[in-house]
C-alpha cells in the first residue's frame, strides 16, 4: 500500500477528529500508531482514488462549477497559489514531494498570456482608451 506524508494544520486535525467522533486529534494517523484510514470507505478500508474523484466532482457541481474539477487540479491550484504568494520554488518542490526541481517548474507553470487577458478584462484601468 502506498502512503503519502502530508502537512496538516491543527484545525484540520480537530475537524477530522470531530468528524470521526473521536476525542483525540490523532485519529487515523499512522504517526500516532493507528493504521485506520482517516477517511474510511463502506467496508472500513480506505476510500479509493475513484471515490475521491467522484466526491470532488459532485461537490464542485453542487457549487455550480461545471469545469472538470479533480484532485490533481486541486494539487495544481495549491502549488500555483503557494508559488505566487511566496515565490519559493524549492519550498513548493518539497511540499509536492518532487525529487527534481524541473518537475516543479513544469507543474506550476502559469500561462501569463491567459492571466493578462483575465486582468485586462476585469481591471478597469487595464482597458485601453479608444481614440488615443
Amino acid at each position: 500500500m502506498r502512503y503519502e506524508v502530508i502537512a496538516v494544520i491543527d484545525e484540520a486535525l480537530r475537524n477530522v477528529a470531530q468528524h470521526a467522533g473521536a476525542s483525540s486529534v490523532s485519529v487515523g494517523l499512522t504517526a500516532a500508531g493507528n493504521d485506520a484510514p482517516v477517511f474510511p470507505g463502506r467496508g472500513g478500508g480506505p476510500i479509493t482514488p475513484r471515490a475521491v474523484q467522484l466526491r470532488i466532482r459532485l461537490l464542485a457541481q453542487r457549487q455550480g462549477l461545471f469545469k472538470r474539477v479533480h484532485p490533481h487540479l486541486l494539487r495544481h491550484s495549491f502549488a500555483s497559489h503557494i508559488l505566487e504568494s511566496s515565490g519559493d520554488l524549492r519550498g513548493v518542490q518539497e511540499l509536492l514531494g518532487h525529487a527534481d526541481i524541473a518537475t516543479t517548474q513544469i507543474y506550476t507553470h502559469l500561462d501569463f498570456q491567459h492571466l493578462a487577458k483575465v486582468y485586462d478584462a476585469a481591471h478597469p484601468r487595464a482597458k485601453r482608451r479608444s481614440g488615443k
Side-chain angles (χ1 to χ4, degrees):
M1 177 175 272
R2 181 177 160 204
Y3 289 96
E4 293 278 338
V5 176
I6 58 171
V8 181
I9 62 172
D10 289 339
E11 182 179 355
L13 288 175
R14 285 191 297 274
N15 288 337
V16 168
Q18 182 180 4
H19 174 73
S23 59
S24 170
V25 294
S26 64
V27 68
L29 301 176
T30 57
N34 183 350
D35 286 335
V38 175
F39 302 106
R42 288 185 183 138
I47 57 176
T48 64
R50 183 69 182 145
V52 173
Q53 291 170 350
L54 292 172
R55 288 179 189 191
I56 288 175
R57 186 177 76 189
L58 180 63
L59 289 169
Q61 288 173 348
R62 284 183 187 166
Q63 296 299 315
L65 299 173
F66 293 99
K67 179 182 177 181
R68 189 169 164 256
V69 178
H70 47 86
H72 194 78
L73 179 66
L74 298 177
R75 178 179 165 92
H76 181 79
S77 297
F78 165 77
S80 297
H81 287 294
I82 295 295
L83 186 60
E84 284 177 22
S85 65
S86 71
D88 182 7
L89 191 60
R90 289 280 181 197
V92 173
Q93 176 190 8
E94 189 174 323
L95 284 170
L96 296 177
H98 292 159
D100 187 0
I101 192 73
T103 305
T104 308
Q105 288 173 319
I106 293 168
Y107 189 81
T108 59
H109 174 72
L110 298 176
D111 182 359
F112 288 104
Q113 288 181 335
H114 173 71
L115 289 175
K117 286 179 186 177
V118 170
Y119 176 82
D120 288 343
H123 197 283
R125 293 184 185 212
K127 296 179 182 170
R128 293 187 178 154
R129 295 180 187 172
S130 58
K132 283 196 174 185

